[in-house]
Amino acid sequence: MSTIRLTLPDGSVREAAAGITGGEVARDIGPGLARAAIAARVDGEVYDLDRPIETDAEFAILTEKDPEALTVLRHSTAHILATAVRELFPGAGIGFGPAIANGFYYDFEVPRPFTPDDLETLEDKMREVAARDDPFVREVVTRAEADDRFADDPLKLERIAEFAADEIISVYTDGPFTDLCRGPHMPGTGRLKHFKLLSTAGAYWRGNENRQMLQRIYGTAWFKKDDLEAHLHQLEEARKRDHRVLGKQLDLYSIQETVGPGLVFWHPKGAMIKFLLSRYVEDDNLACGYDLVYTPNITREELFKISGHLPLYEAVQYPPMAAGAGEAEEVRYRVKPMNCPMHALVYKSQQRSYRDLPLRLSEVANVYRDEKSGTLHGLLRVRGLCMDDAHIFCTLDQAEDEIFLCLDQVDRIIRQTFGFRLQFELSTRPEHRLGNDETWDKAEDILRQALGRKGIEFDEDVGGGAFYGPKIDIRFEDAIGRLWQGPTIQLDFQLPERLDLEYTGSDNQPHRPVMIHRAIYGTLERFIGNLIEHFAGAFPLWLAPEQVRVIPIADAQAEAARAVADRLKAAGIRVHLDDRGETLNYRIREAEVNKIPYMAIVGQREADAGTVAVRTRGAGKKQDIIPVEEFEAQLREQVASKALVPYGDTG
RNA sequence: GCCGGUGUAGCUCAGUGGUAGAGCACCUCACUCGUAAUGAGGUGGCCGUCGGUUCGAUCCCGACCACCGGCUCCA
């Protein structure tokens, strides 16, 4: 028998007989490690403890501390869920059951959907399975054996049929249940203690809406009870930040059944935020050399035929309306789902010279998309949306500078102003595409150059670009670590072609410009939804719909308080005077609950001294007693600099 | 669109086959207060919509509408 060399994380090398298992190595090292061991990492791949190691390798024992171990735990928990389902629902088809972020799911084909009661019963059954402490046993099987073992489960047979000829097929058994599975798994079911089933959902087999619908169960699992509880608490916290809950509490917006799903009513406070965001990006656009345009909301359908959107995009376009009363012939009109053809028509409205380029046209515009009903979600997925849209018309040679400018704007606005962390992804040519490879080479190169020049690290989604050009997608991460789809910057060769856009070059010949589509916020609806959750409703001063609430302690100071409010109002501060006959405590609480950045409290001492007692949102009793003019100056400064204070989770 | 769940006052929710309740909010009165809910009284609901079962439906059944959780992070 040959000897292999295992290099441990501390650099030491152990020699062992080929075929030794990770569990045996752990036992050799020490009983403590053997008890703690969950799996082994062999040359980067995670092995079960009882899987033989045949060659020299970098070797490590994984314990609860290793992130990979958590994945193993969750995957194994998914298996005991399947074990429980098979015991309670004999004959259930077994789909896929992977570990996912924070937990796992498993898909089943069962005669009737699971109920919330089923989840409790299944969870109890899972605890029984765990109590049995059955080992997870790995076997490698041939394709024929696999077909035989899973003969009664068509879902598994379908997967088996897809294995490449040389692929290793493994199965895992815990007690009565055997599953086709890549693994790895925990040593036994007894280690699975802190889990909870969370929800059920329908899920199409293999995510394909033309296939049958399976029943999915989601759950979470952790090594420690505290971790499980912390995670459940975190879910609760995220729920408190939910923009739909806060949007109602803070009276920012509503969506009303009488008008229709996905159509947003911005109430005064939400509308103020939308206005401030629009003004901010428009000011920034102007400073960056964009021109503003306003274009129609509806158009003859013909335009979308010419632009090529109609056949491709029709699923989300509202159906046409007939118009043209009194005219000889009725014409079909469409509400616009995007602005690009409109902006292209502005470009086309006159002859363009190379001296006009780049031409940057921007518009904060409403567009409408008939999104599938099941996908609508608060402000994050709507049917009537307001885009901060812009299109840059330029030569291919100018494109790099223009992209650079876009990246600069994204960085300034999304990262610096709002405090989001950014992630970039470059999507390159897809299989089905327009234009020759030479142009694609150049276009992709342009995007890479611009990213590089800005010093941005990025991932590549090979083949993920649009058929008309490559793009940069930007995701941003909010205050509690969630990722959101953010701005996109796309190069487009097709639309200039389809709309026959031209400019006259210095050679006095006609040339085709390229178009760059870009949005900074994306849509105001989604972005405001993100901001609500990011700030937990506690907006920074410059964005807060109400910035200061002035509160006289008693009626005797009402006039002095009014004078303070008037003064701040004259300084452009959004201020509200709360001189109602409620108790001081009541009014302070209400301002706090409404997440007003500052309270300016005026008692007799302040009225006499020309000061205010400033109470900052979330700071409790701590207050600053300062002259009114000093308060005003501070407010002005914070608004002007768009300071991210005061904000925080005020609970 | 598809699967499941839910729909009762402005909000959060309880409840029953015999035409409905709480807290908060709102209104009135009293209190004029030094940093997170003063007290008392009062207004307010076609129990999502339409149909069916029933002597009788908010409750049971069906359809529709809306909302909520999901619909590959691949064995």
Side-chain angles (χ1 to χ4, degrees), chain A residues 342-377:
Chain A
M342 296 291 183
H343 291 183
L345 289 180
V346 174
Y347 177 93
K348 213 184 165 177
S349 66
Q350 58 177 264
Q351 265 198 320
R352 300 288 174 181
S353 146
Y354 72 98
R355 296 175 202 277
D356 296 333
L357 305 184
L359 181 69
R360 310 183 187 96
L361 302 180
S362 70
E363 178 177 11
V364 175
N366 290 312
V367 300
Y368 290 84
R369 297 178 180 178
D370 189 19
E371 300 284 355
K372 286 197 278 186
S373 63
T375 63
L376 300 177
H377 183 91

Side-chain angles (χ1 to χ4, degrees), chain A residues 141-216:
Chain A
V141 298
T142 64
R143 181 184 300 253
E145 282 172 326
D147 280 338
D148 190 46
R149 288 223 195 183
F150 298 99
D152 57 352
D153 199 332
L155 303 181
K156 292 292 176 190
L157 290 177
E158 181 177 330
R159 180 65 187 91
I160 292 164
E162 290 170 6
F163 281 114
D166 59 343
E167 219 164 332
I168 293 171
I169 302 177
S170 56
V171 302
Y172 281 79
T173 303
D174 63 287
F177 178 67
T178 298
D179 197 3
L180 178 73
C181 179
R182 183 178 48 192
H185 279 287
M186 302 286 289
T189 61
R191 299 283 287 270
L192 309 172
K193 291 197 172 74
H194 308 296
F195 53 82
K196 186 168 175 55
L197 299 181
L198 296 174
S199 59
T200 63
Y204 295 107
W205 172 230
R206 320 212 77 168
N208 181 344
E209 61 187 340
N210 299 315
R211 303 295 302 270
Q212 73 267 41
M213 182 158 275
L214 307 182
Q215 296 303 318
R216 174 169 298 180

